[in-house]
Amino acid sequence: MKWLMRIIYTLILFSAWSFLAYLYVDYSLGSPKRSEPVQLEIGSGTSTTAIGRMLKEQGLIRNDWFFSTYAWLTGKSKGLQAGVYQIPPEVDVNGIFDIITNGRQNTVAVTIPEGYTIEQIGEKLEQKTKFSKEEFIQAVEEGEFNQDFLQKVPKDSQRRYRLEGYLYPSTYNIPKTAKPEDVVQMMLGQFNNKMKEHGVMEQLQNKNLTLDKWVTIASIVEREGQAKQEFPKIAGVIYNRLNKNMRLQVDATIQYARGSQKARLSYDDLKLDSVYNTYKIEGLPPGAISNPGEKALLAALNPDKHAYLYYVTKKDGTGEHYFAETFEQHQRYIKQSKQTQNSSN
């Protein structure tokens, strides 16, 4: 009889511990209360362990200790798709899995390239979603968005679009029912996430650099550079010219002022009457000329230290530039660049 009591006691104890373990796991994978949607970016090849860590950091689950095991046991680790997702405030861990796996059937994946302008983004969204370019631009201009950093963005009537530069380029999984304002909110949210990831606001304060100046310089770097390894060097040239009160004379700002891309600018283009024409204005234009990606933003935050004041494309197919400290040296590089171009034609 004693052996029977021992078995019953063991079963009761095992059941109690199992129930407690279940409660603890359920609590760990539970989602703390939140009132705002959360942006979640999943990179290509991201493991379930890394996803669990992101969910914890974003406040979507309390602990990530059991996340990978739970994903494996439930079969939810299959079919994860890279991109940026918006997680509504009422969604739990199972709902999150549905959004980034099965839920992708209810979304449209749209990749916004680095350096796109707001108008180019609108054109891309018009091709992929149910709303038009004009509706997207209207949302950008008239929508009300709750990101704190927007308080630091100037309301300058000379800017073409106030939010130019702040719509972060990435692959977004946009719900098919989304409105243009929802997409703008997703992009602003992703910009905010990247700033927090790199501790940008603290660095800007230490460098005595405004948020908008940083973004504007990054947008120029993005459009001027092709070889991304040169971004910090190009950023250094821009800062050097600004510090010496030299006009920037950046072709990319003319292209933006024109409103359309031109294969080769003419001397008449350089005379264009626009607040974005850095051949005519002093200092920076009134706002960004594109929406820069992470590498350009980081380059504008931490530019290379050098004495270069000029650069010109090598025109050898590499997308790289010749950098010069003096105008005379720059002229020699321009001649060398033209010779390279002529020999390749």
Side-chain angles (χ1 to χ4, degrees):
M1 195 60 142
K2 288 183 179 180
W3 63 267
L4 181 59
M5 292 300 297
R6 287 173 183 168
I7 291 176
I8 293 173
Y9 177 75
T10 301
L11 289 173
I12 292 173
L13 191 61
F14 177 76
S15 299
W17 277 110
S18 297
F19 181 67
L20 290 173
Y22 167 79
L23 290 178
Y24 185 70
V25 171
D26 185 63
Y27 174 81
S28 296
L29 295 179
S31 180
K33 287 186 177 181
R34 56 188 191 278
S35 58
E36 298 291 337
V38 175
Q39 300 292 123
L40 181 65
E41 181 182 24
I42 299 178
S44 179
T46 304
S47 66
T48 52
T49 300
I51 292 174
R53 187 163 55 249
M54 284 191 290
L55 294 180
K56 180 185 176 184
E57 291 171 354
Q58 295 278 17
L60 293 169
I61 59 176
R62 293 187 179 88
N63 277 307
D64 60 336
W65 300 334
F66 308 103
F67 182 81
S68 293
T69 303
Y70 178 79
W72 178 74
L73 288 174
T74 58
K76 294 180 180 293
S77 59
K78 299 177 182 179
L80 299 176
Q81 180 174 317
V84 177
Y85 297 86
Q86 183 163 285
I87 311 299
E90 70 278 2
V91 170
D92 62 8
V93 67
N94 289 312
I96 293 171
F97 271 118
D98 287 340
I99 289 173
I100 61 180
T101 54
N102 297 331
R104 70 180 185 273
Q105 298 170 0
N106 298 315
T107 63
V108 177
V110 182
T111 299
I112 305 301
E114 296 166 343
Y116 259 33
T117 64
I118 281 176
E119 292 187 0
Q120 289 175 310
I121 294 172
E123 290 168 0
K124 189 68 175 286
L125 290 170
E126 186 174 65
Q127 297 169 6
K128 297 282 189 176
T129 67
K130 61 183 177 65
F131 48 82
S132 67
K133 169 186 173 181
E134 289 72 25
E135 288 172 322
F136 174 74
I137 291 177
Q138 184 179 4
V140 169
E141 291 291 273
E142 300 177 9
E144 295 183 4
F145 306 105
N146 57 6
Q147 301 294 340
D148 290 340
F149 70 82
L150 292 177
Q151 298 175 13
K152 300 180 181 295
V153 181
K155 296 180 179 179
D156 187 342
S157 60
Q158 291 187 309
R159 295 167 77 106
R160 182 172 296 172
Y161 300 111
R162 180 172 179 247
L163 298 185
E164 191 84 89
Y166 297 91
L167 303 186
Y168 191 80
S170 187
T171 297
Y172 291 90
N173 293 281
I174 301 170
K176 293 178 179 178
T177 57
K179 299 176 182 178
E181 291 83 357
D182 300 327
V183 179
V184 177
Q185 183 68 26
M186 288 179 72
M187 301 183 81
L188 292 173
Q190 192 61 7
F191 179 88
N192 192 47
N193 287 345
K194 288 297 178 181
M195 282 205 303
K196 289 181 179 179
E197 179 183 335
H198 296 288
V200 168
M201 296 309 294
E202 294 82 0
Q203 293 190 61
L204 291 177
Q205 188 172 4
N206 293 336
K207 296 173 184 291
N208 196 28
L209 184 65
T210 68
L211 173 72
D212 203 56
K213 183 177 180 179
W214 166 58
V215 171
T216 300
I217 291 173
S219 75
I220 295 174
V221 170
E222 186 70 72
R223 291 304 288 255
E224 281 286 281
Q226 296 181 44
K228 293 187 183 296
Q229 69 271 16
E230 287 190 341
F231 279 6
K233 190 178 288 188
I234 292 173
V237 172
I238 293 171
Y239 280 106
N240 287 346
R241 293 182 72 93
L242 289 172
N243 291 336
K244 288 182 176 292
N245 295 318
M246 297 174 66
R247 290 182 180 176
L248 291 183
Q249 297 182 320
V250 173
D251 288 357
T253 63
I254 302 263
Q255 299 281 19
Y256 187 78
R258 291 183 71 256
S260 61
Q261 199 72 15
K262 191 176 181 180
R264 191 170 184 175
L265 294 174
S266 67
Y267 284 110
D268 286 339
D269 290 322
L270 305 186
K271 300 174 184 177
L272 184 65
D273 187 19
S274 170
V275 292
Y276 285 93
N277 183 353
T278 56
Y279 279 82
K280 295 186 70 173
I281 67 166
E282 306 290 337
L284 290 168
I289 63 168
S290 74
N291 292 277
E294 186 171 33
K295 290 185 181 298
L297 288 165
L298 292 179
L301 192 63
N302 295 292
D304 283 353
K305 305 296 182 183
H306 53 62
Y308 296 129
L309 293 170
Y310 308 90
Y311 57 81
V312 61
T313 55
K314 293 181 179 180
K315 296 179 181 175
D316 60 355
T318 64
E320 296 179 345
H321 295 79
Y322 294 115
F323 291 84
E325 295 182 13
T326 66
F327 183 70
E328 292 73 23
Q329 186 183 25
H330 179 54
Q331 289 299 107
R332 291 196 297 271
Y333 281 145
I334 290 176
K335 184 177 180 180
Q336 186 173 336
S337 176
K338 289 180 178 178
Q339 289 173 346
T340 302
Q341 184 181 33
N342 292 335
S343 64
S344 63
N345 290 337

